[in-house]
């Protein structure tokens, strides 16, 4: 297995290293995700989904500064762009 090295496009700072996957591993992961979806989320009632989405929204809001900072390191975006375009968009989707 190879490793992907991610560096900040602005500073060249190491953001992280990540294992890569081949086509078979990806297909297996997608199939497993489908199975889990149908066994759990796919059977969740709309009322329960709302509870989970509200919890996700709260977590995104609580961690928005750290999430935006990570996006900045990985993409080179300025903080306000990462916060408004990425983090708050996700928060809004969970509304």
């Amino acid at each position: 297995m190879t490793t992907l090295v991610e560096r900040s496009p602005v500073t060249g700072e190491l953001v992280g290293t990540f294992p890569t996957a081949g086509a078979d591993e990806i297909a297996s992961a997608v199939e497993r995700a489908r199975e889990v979806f149908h066994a759990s989320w796919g059977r969740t009632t709309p009322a329960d989904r709302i509870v989970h989405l509200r919890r996700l929204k709260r977590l995104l809001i609580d961690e928005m500064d750290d999430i935006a900072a990570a996006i900045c390191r990985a993409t080179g975006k300025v903080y306000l762009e990462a916060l408004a375009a990425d983090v708050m968009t996700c928060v809004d989707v969970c509304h």
Side-chain angles (χ1 to χ4, degrees):
M1 182 179 293
T2 61
T3 302
L4 172 70
V5 176
E6 183 176 6
R7 296 192 175 277
S8 166
V10 175
T11 66
E13 168 192 10
L14 179 66
V15 174
T17 57
F18 309 94
T20 60
D24 290 342
E25 292 169 303
I26 293 169
S28 177
V30 168
E31 181 56 33
R32 180 68 184 129
R34 280 190 183 116
E35 291 169 2
V36 170
F37 172 81
H38 291 296
S40 59
W41 187 257
R43 295 183 183 185
T44 304
T45 66
D48 285 341
R49 288 181 184 193
I50 290 169
V51 170
H52 292 297
L53 289 171
R54 285 183 179 157
R55 181 170 179 256
L56 176 59
K57 180 179 179 177
R58 172 56 34 211
L59 290 170
L60 288 167
I61 290 169
D62 289 348
E63 301 297 328
M64 69 179 160
D65 289 329
D66 289 339
I67 296 168
I71 292 168
C72 292
R73 284 191 304 275
T75 65
K77 288 183 178 182
V78 296
Y79 176 82
L80 287 178
E81 180 184 3
L83 183 64
D86 298 320
V87 180
M88 295 312 292
T89 298
C90 291
V91 168
D92 194 43
V93 168
C94 293
H95 181 64

